[in-house]
Each structure stands twice: as C-alpha cells, then as structure tokens.
Amino acid sequence: MDALKKARTACSTSKYILENAEPGEGQKNKHQGSRETPNGCVNPAGVCAGESTSKRRHCSYSEDDVRPWLPMVTQCDAEDEESRCDKKSRTKEGQVLLFYKYVDLADPADICEWQRELCRRLHLHGKIRIAREGLNGTVGGALISTQQYMEAVMTHPYFTDMNIEDFKTSQGGHDSFLDGLVVSIHQEIVPMGMDPMLVSFKDAGCHLTPAQFHEEVQRHRNAKEREEKTNTVFIDCRNFYESRIGIFPDAITPDIRKFSYWPEYVDKNEAVFADKKVLMYCTGGIRCERGSAYLRSKGICKEVLQLKGGIHRYLDQYPDGFFRGKLFVFDNRYAIQTNQDVIAECFHCSKPWDEYEPCSSKHCHQLVLSCPSCRTSGLTTCCRRCAELALDYASGEDGKTKTKKRKEECTCTKNRERIPVEKLDSSSACSAIKVDGVKPCRGTGSTRDVQS
Ligand SMILES: [Zn+2]
Ligand SMILES: [Zn+2]
Ligand SMILES: [Zn+2]
C-alpha cells in the first residue's frame, strides 16, 4: 500500500473518541489550579446578569473552570458595543481575526468549551476548528471584543507562545458570519484528509517572512523574464475558486475544489515537483503547514518553502506587491480587497468581474460571478441547469415536488477533473506549466468550512 493510501486508511479508521463525543462532556479543566492565573483576566461578574441559567446549562463547565483564561468583560458589554451603531458602521468599526496554532492538545474538549464561552462572552461570531493537533479559527465582532479575544488566547497555557502577529486582522464584524458561532472538534484543524499522526505539522516546510517570500517571487519573475530555466515550482495550494479572483501571477494554481485533494494532486504531479525548490502559499498559512509536510514526506523535492502568515500577512506588508486581485475569505464577505485589479470575469458575459455571490438556486451551494448587467437580466445561477432546478425547487415549495437538499456540488461541476495533471514543458521548466486539457468548470466550492 502506498503512503497516501495508508494515511487515508488510517485517517478514516482511527477516529478520535472525542470526535463522536459532545465537546466538553464529562471533561474537567486540567489546567485549573495547576498554573498561574494571569492577572486581570478574571471575569468578576461571572456571566452577564441578564442571562438565564437555562442558556448556560449546555455548557458543562462551571464558571470557576474557565475563569483563568477569560477576559474581564461580560457578554452585555460586547452587545452594548454592537448595538451602539448600525450594521454598516459595525462592520466598518469591527474586525475579523484569522489565526491558527499547531500544538499538541491533550484535551480538545476543554479547549472547545473554553472557546465557546470566550466567544459567547465577547459576542463574537465565527468558526473555530479544534483537534488534537491544534486550533484554527476565524472570528469577528467589535474591535474591543477581538482585542480582548486575542489577549485571552495568548494567556492560555497552550497558546502563550502566540503573539499578536499570529492573528491576521481585516475589516468586518460578527455580521461576517451568517451561521453565528460554530466551535467544533475534528481530527484535523484544516481538512486534508490525512491522519495528523502520519502527516504532521512538525514536518512542515521552512517558513519565509513576507519580505523573504517577496524576494523569492522577485527572483522567480526575473528568471522567467530572462527566459532562464528556473528550478523553482511556485504554487498556490488554495482551491481554484480562490485563485480565480486573486493570485501571484507567476504561480501555478491547481484546479482543485478542496484542500483534501491536495495530496492526490501532489501524487499525480510528482514529476512537476521532483528535484525542485517549492515555493508555496495559501490564505493565512495553515494549509501550507501540512500541505508542505505532505510534499516533504514524498522525499522528492529539493526544498519546500512556505509563506508564513499567508497572503494575508503578505498584503499587510505589500498591499500593492506581486499579489493581484482579491483575497478570497471563507466568510460572508467572500473577499478582501487591497488593490484595484480585477482578474476574474463574469460567468455569463466574460466582462471583468470578481464579486462572488451565492447561486440564487436554493438547492445549490456554488458561488457565482455574475456582473450587475447579467444579474439584472436574471442570470443569477451558476449554470442553466441550476436555473431549471431552481424552478423545480420553487414549485416544490408549493408542495408539487419534493424539497431538495442544498448540494455542495452542482451538476455543472461534474465534468471537471477532480485532480488535474500539470503538464511540464521541458523548454522552460516549471514556468511553462499549463493546466491540462479540460476547460475549468465555472462552478465553485462550498464556503462553509474554515480554511486559511
Ligand atoms: Zn455579465
Ligand atoms: Zn447553482
Ligand atoms: Zn451549476
């Protein structure tokens, strides 16, 4: 059995017990009393005075359990802050955080419960994935709440070596997350579909600062301009619908719909990576951690380098640098803008357009690029079939046909190759790599997961 199959089998069979248990169930905070309580981090009021006990009951923690790493704020304070202004200024004054930490967690359920309580008190919305390998999250809310959140996280014993730089920030708020707050326990903090015991964050590629990365990209570009052979494979490990609206123009952009296809993509394209220096990036750096570890586990690359903090950090330092277009984000904002370039086009008329909206068909999860004039003429679905299904669905609501469940993939995405094979043009090494054959489908992926 090859390494990939072995890892996948292990991943599907060796589920952590916690994954099936209600997070926090029967757990006690093992840190309680065993470590120093950080100063100024105790909530003297316990919980917001207006809160009912029934609302608190789902949480198996007592107030004492979680106190050490909760900030001195009540849910009411955060809500006051939120209600002071309307939705627009709330988003303008609010903030969205994106962060992750790979660390061996002995007690994911404890961390889960702590995060739930912390976010609840600070009135933060967002998505947090917890696993034995660490924590991956994106949360949004009032500026003061996100600041207190960061401070609280950094005082927790597992996360004391995190610093403010580890939290990527952007304009937004708790309205950026339509599903409210989702804190959940998984086997991996970003779903690559590989057992973390077999492909560990500990084997990740070398981190480059944005400045070092910028230099590498510059070198790669210079070599390309001089039509020299380059020994570098510059690759974006995000999904195709993310790179569609924003890219480092010289990078290979795999036509993959989700990150769990990355290992197979690497396997199918070993020749592209063989003996090369790989320069990779993603949104906030997390996918590169184990994505690079997988590449390294193959033992075929000369060197694997990853952008620390991802495009997010790069843009902080180089808002008008090599990255062009918008940065796709997995929340209701869909994208963050730092330059004016529009690199994508309307699905229907091919005019430049890069603002995603969900397919208007209620059964479908795809994101659609439809320019204002196409929208006005009713082109709001991902494809014609979806528009027809939308009609079926509408009649279903009248009770004539059965209501259909929303699908992650539309029929229009079925003809796309799951794992594309990159073609290596020997005349100019990796600079001439083209995506093979089939025209990429217009369809997109689901945005329901937290990735960065
Ligand atoms: Zn159009
Ligand atoms: Zn659709
Ligand atoms: Zn479709």
Side-chain angles (χ1 to χ4, degrees):
M1 191 161 24
D2 65 21
L4 173 67
K5 266 194 195 145
K6 221 160 109 186
R8 282 213 190 279
T9 310
C11 190
S12 57
T13 53
S14 70
K15 288 229 160 116
Y16 293 124
I17 300 160
L18 284 167
E19 208 162 23
N20 299 319
E22 185 61 32
E25 203 177 351
Q27 300 285 319
K28 279 278 161 217
N29 190 332
K30 291 165 195 76
H31 300 297
Q32 180 63 29
S34 63
R35 307 205 192 205
E36 207 180 325
T37 304
N39 287 337
C41 207
V42 179
N43 174 9
V47 287
C48 167
E51 198 187 3
S52 69
T53 40
S54 63
K55 202 174 161 194
R56 273 187 285 150
R57 199 162 290 148
H58 77 278
C59 171
S60 63
Y61 265 50
S62 73
E63 287 308 316
D64 291 338
D65 284 332
V66 285
R67 231 176 240 186
W69 303 290
L70 290 175
M72 207 183 298
V73 69
T74 66
Q75 186 183 20
C76 296
D77 294 338
E79 273 174 350
D80 284 350
E81 180 75 18
E82 289 286 343
S83 58
R84 265 194 319 109
C85 35
D86 62 13
K87 188 182 166 186
K88 210 167 180 182
S89 48
R90 214 157 54 207
T91 305
K92 212 173 148 201
E93 289 171 19
Q95 185 164 258
V96 170
L97 305 177
L98 182 68
F99 58 97
Y100 68 89
K101 173 72 182 168
Y102 275 106
V103 55
D104 290 322
L105 298 179
D107 41 14
D110 286 1
I111 299 297
C112 180
E113 210 57 20
W114 162 60
Q115 281 291 313
R116 273 194 193 142
E117 181 62 15
L118 178 60
C119 292
R120 190 184 62 81
R121 288 192 193 185
L122 294 170
H123 200 50
L124 294 173
H125 284 180
K127 293 175 271 192
I128 298 168
R129 277 179 79 102
I130 296 159
R132 287 197 186 276
E133 63 170 358
L135 183 153
N136 172 22
T138 178
V139 294
L143 201 58
I144 184 172
S145 301
T146 53
Q147 278 159 353
Q148 283 173 325
Y149 176 85
M150 289 188 277
E151 280 160 26
V153 170
M154 289 185 290
T155 55
H156 191 286
Y158 274 125
F159 305 100
T160 43
D161 63 343
M162 281 185 87
N163 59 55
I164 208 83
E165 294 285 298
D166 293 315
F167 295 88
K168 277 78 71 175
T169 60
S170 55
Q171 207 174 71
H174 85 305
D175 298 322
S176 303
F177 301 92
L178 294 182
D179 296 333
L181 176 70
V182 181
V183 186
S184 49
I185 300 181
H186 301 265
Q187 193 184 29
E188 301 169 284
I189 56 173
V190 69
M192 188 166 76
M194 307 289 285
D195 188 335
M197 302 290 276
L198 296 171
V199 181
S200 168
F201 66 91
K202 290 164 191 163
D203 301 317
C206 187
H207 291 101
L208 296 185
T209 63
Q212 290 168 327
F213 185 84
H214 188 79
E215 224 171 86
E216 286 288 343
V217 176
Q218 181 72 70
R219 204 169 297 145
H220 184 63
R221 284 171 75 98
N222 291 347
K224 267 190 75 179
E225 270 163 28
R226 292 195 297 264
E227 292 182 5
E228 287 171 7
K229 269 201 173 185
T230 159
N231 206 36
T232 302
V233 172
F234 183 25
I235 191 161
D236 186 328
C237 72
R238 299 174 303 154
N239 305 321
F240 76 92
Y241 54 88
E242 301 175 74
S243 54
R244 177 191 272 149
I245 62 165
I247 47 164
F248 284 96
D250 303 301
I252 300 169
T253 52
D255 195 20
I256 53 174
R257 195 177 65 80
K258 49 187 180 181
F259 187 56
S260 54
Y261 294 166
W262 172 255
E264 279 173 79
Y265 176 85
V266 171
D267 291 357
K268 278 204 170 182
N269 293 284
E270 276 188 15
V272 172
F273 297 103
D275 264 338
K276 293 287 195 291
K277 172 163 93 178
V278 178
L279 184 61
M280 61 194 287
Y281 67 90
C282 60
T283 310
I286 189 170
R287 278 177 275 183
C288 281
E289 300 281 8
R290 285 180 68 239
S292 64
Y294 183 74
L295 254 178
R296 292 188 69 227
S297 76
K298 306 283 291 179
I300 50 171
C301 309
K302 217 168 125 194
E303 193 181 11
V304 184
L305 306 171
Q306 55 169 325
L307 172 58
K308 187 173 164 58
I311 303 163
H312 221 300
R313 263 294 163 252
Y314 177 86
L315 289 175
D316 288 344
Q317 212 166 321
Y318 301 96
D320 212 15
F322 293 130
F323 185 85
R324 306 314 301 174
K326 292 191 173 93
L327 173 59
F328 185 93
V329 288
F330 290 86
D331 60 53
N332 198 38
R333 297 169 301 165
Y334 297 125
I336 299 172
Q337 182 170 10
T338 57
N339 60 68
Q340 299 302 315
D341 292 9
V342 176
I343 66 158
E345 54 187 45
C346 172
F347 285 7
H348 309 289
C349 70
S350 300
K351 277 190 200 130
W353 187 251
D354 66 358
E355 291 178 26
Y356 277 124
E357 280 187 59
C359 173
S360 62
S361 171
K362 282 184 184 166
H363 73 280
C364 175
H365 265 301
Q366 309 297 306
L367 289 176
V368 180
L369 291 176
S370 181
C371 74
S373 74
C374 286
R375 270 192 181 273
T376 309
S377 55
L379 297 169
T380 54
T381 56
C382 58
C383 61
R384 190 188 294 269
R385 177 74 188 126
C386 219
E388 289 163 8
L389 286 170
L391 289 174
D392 286 358
Y393 187 89
S395 61
E397 281 181 333
D398 296 337
K400 286 176 198 157
T401 55
K402 264 193 174 172
T403 304
K404 292 180 181 74
K405 215 174 150 243
R406 282 171 79 90
K407 280 185 184 158
E408 269 197 51
E409 277 188 275
C410 174
T411 47
C412 68
T413 63
K414 285 204 176 131
N415 61 349
R416 71 194 321 277
E417 258 185 307
R418 202 175 91 132
I419 314 292
V421 177
E422 304 286 356
K423 278 268 168 68
L424 189 62
D425 180 341
S426 56
S427 65
S428 59
C430 65
S431 62
I433 290 166
K434 292 271 189 299
V435 174
D436 189 25
V438 188
K439 202 179 171 216
C441 171
R442 298 288 197 180
T444 65
S446 158
T447 60
R448 291 180 303 170
D449 229 333
V450 46
Q451 298 187 12
S452 62

